[in-house]
């Protein structure tokens, strides 16, 4: 298996610096000091987030079941399944509001890879059932990331992917593990990183754009993607 094949699945990268800043902001904003870490810390990873919010001064974390309470107790972290969380989770995780305004850098970035590129002529169809036909001669890229990883099918023809600082539209139907994007004349190469949301570029707040087509909230979307992908850390 090639290096590209091994790294070609959609991954979620968790920023250590964004998490530390988000935790500090959430604690500073006030409340009793209980952070919401249900659903595996909204898909961000329970232990890492629990350590960050505890270091920032949170009194306790809310989790899903007693087994998680016991596991965190070994780390010296107070957890509860009954107390209501009151620290702002949008601040903690750096998530956009309905208008796409971010409270800080997003903690999670969803990243795939360009698997292949090809030309398409005007009128050519894309993906299953040709749900999209090219309006002009262009170029397409096959990118890792599909509905099995939380890139909801409804986002076909309705969302974009960032490559090299530029947004490119997803075209056609989203498949189980891949989707197709229209890259036009952009200098896109096989192996290039493709960001669906997060980071500091033009799709940083893209989750707010996904709510309309999918009928899901930002918290639901980020939790689904985070729990269906391989996670790794970045600075």
């Amino acid at each position: 298996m090639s290096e590209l094949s091994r790294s070609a699945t959609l991954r979620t990268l968790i920023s250590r610096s964004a998490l530390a800043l988000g935790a500090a902001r959430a604690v500073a904003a006030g409340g009793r000091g209980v952070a919401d870490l249900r659903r595996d810390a909204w898909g961000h990873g329970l232990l890492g987030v629990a350590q960050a919010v505890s270091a920032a001064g949170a009194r306790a974390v809310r989790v899903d079941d007693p087994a998680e309470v016991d596991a965190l107790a070994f780390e010296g972290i107070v957890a509860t399944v009954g107390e209501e969380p009151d620290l702002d989770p949008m601040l903690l995780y750096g998530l956009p509001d309905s208008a796409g305004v971010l409270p800080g850098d997003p903690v999670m970035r969803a990243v795939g890879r360009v698997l292949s590129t090809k030309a398409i002529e005007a009128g050519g169809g894309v993906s299953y059932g040709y749900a999209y036909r090219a309006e002009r001669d262009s170029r397409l890229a096959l990118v890792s990331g599909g509905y099995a990883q939380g890139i909801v099918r409804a986002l076909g023809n309705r969302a974009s992917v960032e490559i090299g600082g530029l947004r490119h539209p997803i075209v056609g139907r989203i498949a189980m593990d891949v989707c197709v994007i229209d890259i036009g004349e952009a200098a896109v190469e096989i192996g290039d990183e493709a960001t669906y949301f997060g980071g500091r570029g033009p799709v940083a707040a893209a989750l707010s754009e996904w709510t309309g087509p999918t009928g899901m909230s930002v918290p639901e979307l980020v939790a689904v993607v985070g729990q269906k992908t391989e996670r790794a850390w970045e600075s």
Side-chain angles (χ1 to χ4, degrees), residues 1-10 113-115 144 190-191:
M1 183 182 290
S2 69
E3 287 299 319
L4 176 60
S5 297
R6 281 194 290 268
S7 64
T9 58
L10 184 70
R113 294 280 177 179
V114 175
L115 304 177
S144 57
I190 294 173

Side-chain angles (χ1 to χ4, degrees), residues 33-34 50 54 58-63 69 72-73 75-80 83:
V34 181
S54 295
R59 179 174 58 80
V61 298
R62 171 74 182 272
V63 296
V69 173
L72 290 177
E75 303 292 331
I77 298 170
V78 177
T80 174
E83 191 170 358

Side-chain angles (χ1 to χ4, degrees), residues 21-31 53 86-89 91-93:
L21 287 172
R25 289 191 182 103
V27 170
V53 295
D86 63 337
L87 297 183
D88 186 343
L91 284 175
L92 171 58
Y93 300 114

Side-chain angles (χ1 to χ4, degrees), residues 166-198:
L166 299 175
R167 292 182 67 141
H168 304 284
I170 298 173
V171 294
R173 290 192 171 95
I174 291 172
M176 180 180 291
D177 298 301
V178 295
C179 66
V180 178
I181 63 172
D182 187 335
I183 56 175
E185 299 302 316
V188 173
E189 303 291 339
I190 294 173
D192 282 353
E193 193 174 79
T195 300
Y196 284 85
F197 62 80

Side-chain angles (χ1 to χ4, degrees), residues 22-153:
R25 289 191 182 103
V27 170
R32 297 185 310 278
V34 181
D36 189 353
L37 272 60
R38 288 172 290 183
R39 301 185 301 280
D40 197 20
W42 292 27
H44 292 71
L46 177 60
L47 179 57
V49 178
Q51 290 171 332
V53 295
S54 295
R59 179 174 58 80
V61 298
R62 171 74 182 272
V63 296
D64 289 304
D65 60 66
E68 292 174 335
V69 173
D70 294 340
L72 290 177
F74 281 109
E75 303 292 331
I77 298 170
V78 177
T80 174
V81 295
E83 191 170 358
E84 283 301 311
D86 63 337
L87 297 183
D88 186 343
M90 307 304 274
L91 284 175
L92 171 58
Y93 300 114
L95 297 175
D97 63 17
S98 60
V101 177
L102 289 163
D105 289 339
V107 175
M108 181 189 293
R109 186 164 66 100
V111 180
R113 294 280 177 179
V114 175
L115 304 177
S116 64
T117 63
K118 71 173 186 178
I120 185 172
E121 296 182 349
V126 176
S127 193
Y128 308 119
Y130 297 157
Y132 173 86
R133 289 191 177 275
E135 297 179 354
R136 65 193 188 291
D137 292 351
S138 190
R139 292 168 60 238
L140 304 175
L142 186 70
V143 177
S144 57
Y147 60 80
Q149 296 83 42
I151 309 301
V152 185
R153 286 177 176 177

Side-chain angles (χ1 to χ4, degrees), residues 147 150-159 170 172-174 209-216 221:
Y147 60 80
I151 309 301
V152 185
R153 286 177 176 177
L155 296 172
N157 298 316
R158 302 288 296 278
I170 298 173
R173 290 192 171 95
I174 291 172
E209 302 170 12
W210 291 18
T211 59
T214 64
M216 298 170 67
L221 289 162

